Amino acid sequence: MNAPTGSTTTAAAVESEEPLSSGFDAATKDDVEFAEHFRHCFTTIDDVQMHYVIGGDGPQVMVLLHGWPHSWYVYREIMPSLLPGRTVIAIDLPGMGDSTGNPPSMARTVLATYVHRLLNHLGYRENVQVVAHDFGAGVAYPLAAQYRRQVAGLFLMDYTVVGKNAKAADLTSLSFHFSFNQQNPLAEELVTDRVETFLTRCFQSMKSGVGEPVSDSELTEYVRVFSRSQVLHAGFELYRVWDQDETENAELQATPLTIPVRLLTQSGLVSFMLPSLKDCAPEATGSDVPGAGHFLVHEAPDRVLAEINAFYPTR
């Protein structure tokens, strides 16, 4: 999935701080294609040094937000194909990946404000195209709802937005890790020094039966970042603030989004997830990917790319 020949895809010129995370380029230091099109950057927002990968110089700005248990790297294979006509920014959420420092809360409204301020710092204050998966979609919604001029649309993958109708309590039984990750501090105590075993079990529990949900190189990268104690804790905290998300989203849903919103889900779940998006944006549309599991970018990259480009056509 290389960038088309002849496209302008030079990594954007952005000032970057010295990284506080020493292993940030472990997965990309020998990646020639990555070096040609993208660069790692770091910017401190309040007390969190935000890590993001940026490439391209097109007029349309696209932001990629990851979920759990991922980092920006979940988008690595499709990012070059997104470049023509765009500037593409894949962000490690506050507390996650190679971002360093602990936000005051992992509530999605808080994380959205960090993303908003980072985009402001980079000069992208309006018409940003947002693509998000899993908890990244949970951040994308309050980003759009709180900072309406900044976001041009939401392309969301496999996530239920809790709020006035979708309830956090109804989701806990869907997978073993939903309840396990909420155990504080037991989850950290049991998983520390066993990150690879734990993540392998999580990925396998959500596989579709068609191919593997993660490659060996991806697993190595996710084990690296979740072996950072702050990241392991922050990832679990995502699950511990669902009740707060439910309350805050219900308030935001009182003013529906009018921007385009599209949901893509794993096989058979669009009818379960789409109503929660319609609570946010009544005109939201959705479809599923037959045969695919939760990890859509890995399992169905061609379909994901086609859907993104149809939803956000380049000029």
Side-chain angles (χ1 to χ4, degrees):
M1 296 179 187
N2 300 326
T5 301
S7 60
T8 302
T9 59
T10 306
V14 174
E15 288 189 16
S16 176
E17 303 168 1
E18 287 296 314
L20 297 176
S21 177
S22 59
F24 69 92
D25 62 348
T28 60
K29 60 185 177 182
D30 298 320
D31 187 335
V32 175
E33 182 188 48
F34 176 90
E36 181 181 356
H37 300 302
F38 297 97
R39 60 189 292 245
H40 295 273
C41 291
F42 298 84
T43 297
T44 296
I45 305 296
D46 287 341
D47 54 351
V48 175
Q49 187 185 67
M50 298 279 288
H51 170 240
Y52 51 101
V53 168
I54 187 167
D57 59 2
Q60 295 184 344
V61 178
M62 176 172 285
V63 167
L64 312 177
L65 302 178
H66 67 88
W68 185 95
H70 289 141
S71 67
W72 78 270
Y73 195 66
V74 69
Y75 294 106
R76 165 63 189 89
E77 292 304 312
I78 70 169
M79 285 168 63
S81 297
L82 293 171
L83 283 173
R86 299 186 179 113
T87 297
V88 175
I89 309 168
I91 298 175
D92 274 340
L93 294 176
M96 307 288 286
D98 284 292
S99 294
T100 299
N102 299 306
S105 168
M106 293 300 286
R108 262 51 88 185
T109 53
V110 173
L111 302 187
T113 296
Y114 277 89
V115 173
H116 160 70
R117 292 186 58 194
L118 175 62
L119 293 175
N120 279 357
H121 172 82
L122 296 175
Y124 305 129
R125 297 176 179 270
E126 58 185 20
N127 297 322
V128 174
Q129 301 172 341
V130 177
V131 173
H133 176 250
D134 190 76
F135 276 115
V139 176
Y141 168 61
L143 177 67
Q146 294 177 117
Y147 310 106
R148 294 183 177 238
R149 287 188 57 192
Q150 193 161 45
V151 178
L154 296 179
F155 181 89
L156 309 179
M157 289 177 280
D158 224 49
Y159 190 75
T160 298
V161 177
V162 297
K164 62 183 181 182
N165 288 315
K167 303 301 180 183
D170 296 334
L171 304 179
T172 302
S173 63
L174 296 180
S175 175
F176 84 94
H177 73 279
F178 284 14
S179 55
F180 175 83
N181 290 5
Q182 294 180 43
Q183 306 309 307
N184 186 14
L186 181 63
E188 286 89 336
E189 292 172 349
L190 292 178
V191 176
T192 297
D193 298 326
R194 302 179 181 88
V195 171
E196 183 171 2
T197 298
F198 177 65
L199 291 187
T200 299
R201 175 67 180 86
C202 287
F203 281 116
Q204 291 300 318
S205 73
M206 291 182 276
K207 68 182 296 184
S208 64
V210 180
E212 292 301 313
V214 63
S215 68
D216 290 344
S217 60
E218 288 173 317
L219 180 61
T220 297
E221 176 65 358
Y222 302 142
V223 169
R224 180 188 70 80
V225 295
F226 280 94
S227 293
R228 303 179 72 204
S229 59
Q230 68 142 72
V231 176
L232 187 66
H233 174 70
F236 291 145
E237 284 291 307
L238 289 170
Y239 292 81
R240 296 167 181 164
V241 294
W242 251 338
D243 288 340
Q244 180 178 346
D245 287 345
E246 182 180 311
T247 298
E248 293 178 341
N249 286 344
E251 295 174 358
L252 293 173
Q253 288 168 344
T255 307
L257 295 178
T258 56
I259 57 173
V261 177
R262 174 75 173 160
L263 176 68
L264 194 67
T265 78
Q266 64 180 287
S267 183
L269 284 190
V270 67
S271 62
F272 175 75
M273 295 180 172
L274 184 57
S276 76
L277 264 295
K278 286 186 173 290
D279 286 341
C280 307
E283 301 302 316
T285 63
S287 59
D288 66 357
V289 182
H294 177 61
F295 304 107
L296 293 170
V297 179
H298 178 85
E299 297 181 50
D302 292 339
R303 172 68 184 275
V304 169
L305 275 170
E307 288 267 357
I308 291 173
N309 286 324
F311 186 70
Y312 294 126
T314 53
R315 299 186 183 93

